[in-house]
Amino acid sequence: MSKLKIAIQKSGRLSEKSLELLKECGIKLSNGDRKLKTTAFNFPLEVLFLRDDDIPQYVEQGVADIGILGENEVLEKDKQVKVIEKLGFAGCKLSLAIPKDEYYNGLTYFNQKKVATSYPKILDRFFKSQNLNVEIETIGGSVEIAPGIGLADGIFDIVSTGSTLLMNGLKEVEVVTESEAVLISNPILAAEKNAVLEKLLFRIRAVRNAAENKYILLNAPNESVAAISAILPGMKSPTILPLAQPGWSSIHSVVKEDQFWDIIDQLKSKGAQGILVVPIEKMIL
Ligand code: ATP
Ligand code: ZN
């Protein structure tokens, strides 16, 4: 089988999570210090370690077939690549910020002003779509200091917690777009490589579904089973097993992690007892 080449970030915020995802997909890579590339033992995959900024170009050129990187870089580089799956980590926003004491009256604030950013293409597209005339000052890093040193009136940058903005006397005024890690691919993959990609995607989805869902087990008096089953959606319908104790059943189901806290009180009020919530390792739908 021909090997699929995946590009991941060499070192940075995406590296560890990208490697972890491959590991959770059952793909074993040789340990040792990160070289330029490595091959998986048990899956037709070659891993290239690159700077995230370069990944769109390499995937477009076919140096790598697929890659993992932030959506922000995909949007900024604007290469011929296909986004095939969101991966649910490295979430952040791309926002406009201005000095905190400035009065902000909406987007027209930026008209005729100067904004510093490392994402000029995304920002230019945004201001054009808003019919605003803004001067964009492209800088490589430490964008947040630009207003303080008189280089720009505002900035456009990645915001996650907002603490960097605060430290630099800035406030977030508009979220232009959101970003998370995504899997991208070259738009034209050979059939054999595509088959490997499908296999990988199948595993990634199983891992991600598992992470979002929990297996729930609880005991309930038989007369409550119908009401409790109605609260638990499950993959199909819940599994109901009789307990040794007469008049009681055990109900098993799968719930979304984020729904769990919403339904727990309802379950208890319907008489559920001994509720266990356990992690799922893989989940195939
Ligand atoms: P490289 O050396 O590979 O070019 P980098 O400095 O560009 O690395 P990192 O800081 O490691 O990149 O960030 C990688 C990606 O992580 C960003 O492009 C973005 O998608 C995501 N990210 C999530 N939260 C943050 C954050 N708070 N700051 C910066 N990036 C973030
Ligand atoms: Zn980078």
Side-chain angles (χ1 to χ4, degrees):
M1 209 181 244
S2 79
K3 285 200 171 77
L4 188 70
K5 286 180 279 183
I6 185 170
I8 66 173
Q9 192 187 24
K10 187 175 167 64
S11 74
R13 287 171 205 267
L14 301 166
S15 320
E16 212 166 298
K17 285 271 173 62
S18 305
L19 284 170
E20 196 180 297
L21 180 63
L22 295 180
K23 194 172 159 198
E24 286 171 340
C25 288
I27 296 169
K28 292 204 171 71
L29 305 175
S30 67
N31 289 325
D33 38 3
R34 282 182 207 160
K35 297 158 284 193
L36 179 61
K37 61 180 179 178
T38 184
T39 304
F41 294 128
N42 56 353
F43 196 81
L45 192 73
E46 195 170 282
V47 184
L48 310 180
F49 299 98
L50 301 168
R51 282 200 58 195
D52 63 351
D53 308 48
D54 298 333
I55 294 178
Q57 184 183 336
Y58 284 136
V59 170
E60 181 187 70
Q61 292 169 342
V63 173
D65 302 305
I66 61 173
I68 295 177
L69 77 165
E71 260 175 313
N72 52 316
E73 287 298 341
V74 181
L75 291 169
E76 180 61 29
K77 295 298 182 293
D78 203 17
K79 300 284 179 192
Q80 294 295 310
V81 296
K82 217 164 65 177
V83 173
I84 43 182
E85 192 83 359
K86 295 198 181 222
L87 299 175
F89 61 88
C92 55
K93 299 175 281 184
L94 288 168
S95 300
L96 284 160
I98 61 172
K100 69 175 189 329
D101 296 331
E102 287 280 309
Y103 172 68
Y104 185 70
N105 57 349
L107 271 175
T108 50
Y109 173 91
F110 291 100
N111 223 354
Q112 315 295 338
K113 289 208 167 66
K114 197 167 168 184
V115 177
T117 187
S118 314
Y119 297 93
K121 277 196 184 171
I122 298 175
L123 189 59
D124 185 52
R125 283 197 296 261
F126 175 71
F127 281 136
K128 285 209 170 105
S129 76
Q130 300 292 324
N131 291 318
L132 294 173
N133 182 15
V134 185
E135 189 181 339
I136 296 174
E137 182 75 36
T138 304
I139 51 180
S142 305
V143 170
E144 62 284 352
I145 65 167
I149 58 172
L151 184 67
D153 303 296
I155 67 160
F156 174 63
D157 202 7
I158 290 180
V159 176
S160 51
T161 61
S163 58
T164 309
L165 293 183
L166 214 67
M167 267 170 18
N168 288 281
L170 300 171
K171 62 179 176 189
E172 182 181 21
V173 290
E174 299 282 347
V175 178
V176 171
T177 184
E178 293 187 349
S179 171
E180 66 182 85
V182 290
L183 185 71
I184 60 166
S185 107
N186 181 288
I188 325 158
L189 284 187
E192 257 190 59
K193 287 191 170 181
N194 211 38
V196 181
L197 174 57
E198 285 302 322
K199 263 186 144 175
L200 179 65
L201 264 180
F202 177 83
R203 295 189 186 190
I204 289 176
R205 287 174 185 148
V207 168
R208 293 214 49 219
N209 283 331
E212 285 170 10
N213 289 278
K214 298 281 176 227
Y215 194 72
I216 182 167
L217 305 91
L218 56 87
N219 296 331
N222 286 345
E223 59 272 20
S224 306
V225 166
I228 289 178
S229 303
I231 302 169
L232 293 170
M235 286 172 81
K236 281 211 168 61
S237 58
T239 304
I240 299 161
L241 303 165
L243 286 187
Q245 185 180 347
W248 282 77
S249 296
S250 168
I251 304 179
H252 300 194
S253 192
V254 172
V255 292
K256 286 244 174 275
E257 163 124 71
D258 53 356
Q259 285 169 3
F260 170 73
W261 295 109
D262 295 334
I263 61 173
I264 185 76
D265 291 329
Q266 294 178 54
L267 292 173
K268 285 201 308 199
S269 74
K270 298 278 190 263
Q273 293 183 6
I275 303 173
L276 287 181
V277 178
V278 292
I280 299 171
E281 191 164 329
K282 304 284 185 301
M283 182 166 153
I284 321 298
L285 294 173

